[in-house]
């Protein structure tokens, strides 16, 4: 079966043999994807000419209702999507929940907050500014939706969430989308878009999907368009420096890789709630999605005196992890997405092992119900680096798999400095019962992170998790993490709007402001 591309309002099969999508457990080919022959120029023009006006004529409340209808279609087909996530991504039930329900949940969230913006079609930004004594001439700032296409390039690890978290914000802003899931796991995104298109809930031209290579897509973008990219720092750098992107000042948001850290507070002791919560979280972040989360904890920073205790506690938890075929009910961790990625993980792990010793993951390893020759498993591997200040690779190489490095720190300042060695990260978490340290950590980590989660016993059970991106919080990070920002409730709308200052007669300015939605961000 070859996955078709939905462009210019039609399903089109790409030419040639295409690229194979496979089951990472059995190695079996599931489908092929090709964009050969897709006319990207025409696809973008159709979205701009037909999709844009169709969305922009709707009010925020109407667009919010549209998001709700898309979510309904996805919820109705949930079981089918779980099966596809298992087949093409090797997801356990928990993994699939994060991806599939994370996608529909984000749509529902934006549907709910978008309703509050009512009948407006544009946003107001701040108050009125006067220029002199006579206040008849004033200025107001507004934001109007872009008139181009939101091009969404997604990573392989979240084919559903990555698709819908971006669509939710762009559609609410009134901007049509051309989405390109990563080829290796495009099966799920394809099935979802197929269902949404078949249900007839999306206006003509508002949503396009391509499964396969981006081809010459970037050559046809223009100044009206915006690119939201998720993937590796390397691809982000390549695409943001594309000549056309630079020449036309095309908006470019990047969510890239990140060596996130988690800190255990200096006051912690074995048996304290924060100690146990920390150990549980590091283990969970290593094993959920087999560690293939951009937000996963890659570096676990602990007071030097606790390094042995944390190492033992983590090793004990890892020993209970059942790695194998997610079709087997006893399995708690699935495979890496494919053989090529397994090879990348093993190569990066070998580089880290030159600086850190393996606590787990060494020796014989047999995945449950799977043939190691055909499947793409990596055992959960805890490394320990006792001299992290002198190390390099552990702060620079992202192993996109079930791998985390334990690092002792000698002072809070050193812990924050080590976290910053990631070069800018998406998220850090701090587990501490000490209020003063919690505050110091937020301020010490803030400038190099997009999100900081602070956990004590009181919120241990309420926590949404270090690695889970919640739509109300901004997602992104400085430097290596891409320097971008997505979501964050209504803050996310900014990317898809042009802000302008409007100057004129104060009565006219007041009327303009009165029919805008106020978002206060
Ligand atoms: P990747 O190789 O950089 O690919 C990401 C996307 O870019 C894919 O859709 C890929 O398409 C596309 N792409 C690659 N080369 C391109 C080109 N020349 N022109 C246009 N598109 C191009 O990353 P990945 O392996 O899929 O994902 C893993 C990485 O993503 C990890 O480093 C992870 O940390 C990061 N990630 C970050 C976030 C975040 O929110 N910050 C979330 C998830 C993942 P093909 O698949 O067709 O090559």
């Amino acid at each position: 079966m070859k996955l078709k591309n939905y462009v210019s309002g039609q399903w089109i099969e790409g030419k040639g043999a295409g690229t194979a999508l496979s089951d990472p457990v059995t190695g079996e080919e599931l489908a092929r994807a090709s964009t050969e022959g897709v006319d990207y120029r025409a696809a973008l023009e159709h979205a701009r000419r037909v999709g844009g006006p169709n969305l922009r004529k709707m009010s925020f409340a109407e667009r919010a209702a549209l998001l709700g209808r898309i979510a309904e279609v996805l919820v109705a087909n949930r079981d089918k999507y779980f099966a596809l996530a298992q087949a093409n991504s090797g997801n356990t039930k928990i993994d699939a929940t994060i991806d599939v329900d994370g996608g529909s949940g984000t749509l529902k969230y934006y549907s709910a907050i978008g309703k509050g913006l009512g009948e407006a079609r544009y946003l107001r930004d701040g108050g009125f500014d006067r220029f002199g004594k006579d206040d008849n001439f004033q200025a107001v700032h507004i934001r109007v939706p872009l008139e181009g296409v939101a091009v969404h390039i997604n990573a392989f690890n979240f084919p559903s969430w990555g698709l819908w978290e971006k669509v939710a914000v762009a559609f609410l802003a009134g901007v049509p989308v051309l989405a390109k899931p990563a080829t290796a796991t495009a099966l799920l995104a394809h099935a979802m878009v197929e269902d949404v298109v078949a249900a007839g809930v999306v206006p003509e031209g508002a949503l396009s999907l391509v499964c396969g290579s981006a081809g010459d897509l970037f050559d046809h973008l223009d100044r009206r368009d915006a690119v939201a990219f998720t993937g590796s720092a390397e691809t982000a750098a390549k695409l943001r420096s594309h000549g056309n992107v630079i020449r036309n000042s095309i908006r470019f948001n990047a969510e890239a890789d990140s060596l996130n850290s988690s800190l255990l507070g200096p006051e912690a002791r074995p048996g304290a709630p924060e100690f146990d919560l920390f150990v549980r979280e590091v283990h969970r972040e290593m094993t959920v999605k087999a560690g293939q989360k951009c937000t996963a904890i890659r570096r676990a920073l602990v007071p030097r005196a606790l390094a042995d205790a944390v190492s033992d506690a983590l090793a004990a938890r890892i020993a209970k992890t059942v790695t194998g075929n997610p079709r087997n009910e006893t399995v708690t961790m699935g495979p890496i997405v494919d053989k090529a990625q397994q090879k990348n993980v093993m190569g990066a792990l070998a580089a880290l092992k030159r600086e850190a010793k393996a606590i787990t993951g060494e020796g014989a390893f047999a995945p449950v119900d799977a043939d190691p020759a055909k499947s793409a498993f990596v055992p959960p591997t805890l490394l320990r680096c006792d001299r992290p200040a002198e190390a390099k690779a552990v702060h620079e190489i992202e192993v996109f798999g079930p791998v985390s490095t334990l690092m002792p720190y000698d002072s809070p300042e050193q812990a924050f400095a080590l976290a910053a060695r990631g070069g800018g990260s998406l998220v850090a978490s701090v587990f501490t019962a000490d209020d003063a340290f919690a505050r110091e950590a937020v301020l010490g980590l803030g400038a190099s992170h997009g999100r900081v989660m602070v956990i004590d016993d009181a919120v241990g059970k309420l926590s949404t998790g270090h690695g889970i991106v919640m739509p109300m919080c901004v997602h992104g990070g400085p430097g290596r993490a891409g320097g971008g920002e997505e979501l964050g409730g209504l803050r996310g709308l900014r990317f898809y709007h042009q802000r302008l200052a409007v100057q004129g007669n104060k009565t006219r300015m007041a009327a303009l402001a009165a029919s805008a939605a106020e978002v206060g961000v």
Side-chain angles (χ1 to χ4, degrees):
M1 173 184 72
K2 207 189 273 170
L3 302 181
K4 289 187 176 165
N5 305 286
Y6 189 63
V7 287
S8 304
Q10 286 176 331
W11 287 102
I12 293 167
E13 187 169 305
K15 295 184 191 139
T19 307
L21 283 65
S22 60
D23 180 325
V25 174
T26 62
E28 180 200 345
E29 181 175 312
L30 301 170
R32 290 195 155 250
S34 165
T35 56
E36 216 183 302
V38 167
D39 184 344
Y40 278 114
R41 196 198 56 77
L44 290 167
E45 202 41 42
H46 180 77
R48 290 186 200 112
R49 202 173 38 78
V50 182
N54 275 342
L55 286 168
R56 289 198 300 277
K57 74 181 179 208
M58 297 164 79
S59 66
F60 282 114
E62 286 168 334
R63 294 177 209 148
L66 161 66
L67 300 182
R69 287 194 293 276
I70 297 174
E72 277 168 25
V73 174
L74 300 183
V75 170
N77 290 288
R78 185 172 179 265
D79 290 348
K80 175 172 78 179
Y81 304 146
F82 269 55
L84 292 174
Q86 185 180 72
N88 190 197
S89 297
N91 278 188
T92 63
K93 250 197 196 111
I94 290 175
D95 298 342
T97 303
I98 297 171
D99 192 22
V100 175
D101 294 348
S104 56
T106 303
L107 285 162
K108 284 187 211 164
Y109 169 78
Y110 273 95
S111 176
I113 62 168
K115 265 186 206 129
L117 302 181
E119 295 312 305
R121 290 185 178 79
Y122 58 95
L123 303 170
R124 174 177 165 178
D125 183 312
F128 298 95
D129 296 290
R130 47 191 286 183
F131 301 100
K133 258 199 190 141
D134 183 342
D135 74 350
N136 202 27
F137 184 58
Q138 293 199 355
V140 68
H141 288 76
I142 61 169
R143 292 176 192 266
V144 297
L146 301 183
E147 293 183 348
V149 187
V151 171
H152 293 167
I153 312 253
N154 285 312
F156 71 78
N157 55 342
F158 286 113
S160 163
W161 175 80
L163 170 66
W164 300 114
E165 59 102 11
K166 287 188 173 71
V167 167
V169 186
F171 274 13
L172 186 59
V175 180
V177 169
L178 184 147
K180 190 198 117 40
T183 306
T185 56
L187 200 56
L188 178 57
H190 179 270
M192 289 175 143
V193 171
E194 197 171 46
D195 289 338
V196 167
V197 169
V201 294
V202 176
E204 168 80 28
L207 183 60
S208 310
L209 177 86
V210 291
C211 301
S213 153
D216 64 356
L217 167 66
F218 272 63
D219 295 337
H220 302 294
L221 300 179
D222 75 26
R223 53 125 192 123
R224 296 167 291 180
D225 304 323
V227 178
F229 169 84
T230 298
S232 64
E234 200 184 328
T235 312
K238 191 154 126 195
L239 295 182
R240 78 158 95 233
S241 59
H242 188 283
N244 197 20
V245 171
I246 292 173
R247 258 193 316 281
N248 288 301
S249 309
I250 293 168
R251 286 172 192 226
F252 192 93
N253 190 75
E255 300 290 338
D257 38 79
S258 176
L259 280 106
N260 315 290
S261 41
S262 186
L263 274 71
L264 180 60
E267 85 301 336
R269 297 288 169 268
E274 289 76 15
F275 182 99
D276 295 341
L277 288 165
F278 174 82
V279 169
R280 191 185 68 177
E281 196 72 357
V282 173
H283 172 253
R284 187 160 55 186
E285 287 296 317
M286 285 177 72
T287 54
V288 168
K289 295 280 294 180
Q292 299 168 104
K293 283 200 344 285
C294 54
T295 48
I297 299 171
R298 304 291 173 206
R299 299 173 299 151
L301 300 167
V302 301
R304 190 168 291 278
L306 292 184
D308 288 345
V310 173
S311 175
D312 291 349
L314 272 171
R317 270 195 174 257
I318 290 168
K320 290 190 195 135
T321 304
V322 183
T323 304
N325 187 338
R327 293 166 185 91
N328 182 312
E329 292 279 320
T330 65
V331 162
T332 55
M333 191 183 94
I336 297 298
V337 72
D338 56 26
K339 278 274 181 203
Q341 198 57 18
Q342 181 195 37
K343 197 170 160 223
N344 288 343
V345 168
M346 296 312 286
L349 184 53
L352 259 54
K353 281 184 181 171
R354 287 196 274 276
E355 290 183 348
K357 68 171 187 237
I359 306 296
T360 69
E362 296 278 76
F365 165 67
V368 173
D369 281 355
D371 176 354
K374 291 183 182 157
S375 56
F377 289 92
V378 172
T381 306
L382 178 68
L383 303 176
R384 178 166 166 173
C385 174
D386 281 324
R387 299 199 157 278
E390 290 152 38
K392 203 164 151 22
V394 291
H395 305 296
E396 292 178 4
I397 298 177
E398 182 200 45
V399 187
F400 209 57
V403 178
S404 192
T405 306
L406 185 65
M407 305 179 183
Y409 67 80
D410 298 307
S411 68
E413 296 69 32
Q414 190 195 41
F416 307 149
L418 288 171
R421 291 272 306 275
S425 305
L426 295 169
V427 53
S429 52
V430 184
F431 291 75
T432 182
D434 179 339
D435 292 343
F437 177 71
R439 182 185 149 78
E440 193 189 345
V442 170
L443 300 178
L445 297 167
S448 49
H449 291 83
R451 176 165 63 91
V452 177
M453 186 181 82
V454 189
I455 298 297
D456 63 355
D457 192 24
V459 295
K461 286 207 177 79
L462 303 173
S463 163
T464 47
H466 167 107
I468 301 293
V469 176
M470 300 303 291
M472 45 294 274
C473 294
V474 290
H475 173 57
R480 177 177 182 154
E485 194 177 287
E486 283 184 340
L487 300 171
L490 296 174
R491 294 173 189 86
L493 292 176
R494 276 186 292 209
F495 184 65
Y496 298 106
H497 282 82
Q498 172 66 36
R499 176 164 55 188
L500 65 149
V502 189
Q503 296 170 289
N505 175 322
K506 79 171 176 191
T507 317
R508 289 178 175 174
M509 296 305 101
L512 195 63
S515 48
E518 265 198 77
V519 292
V521 291

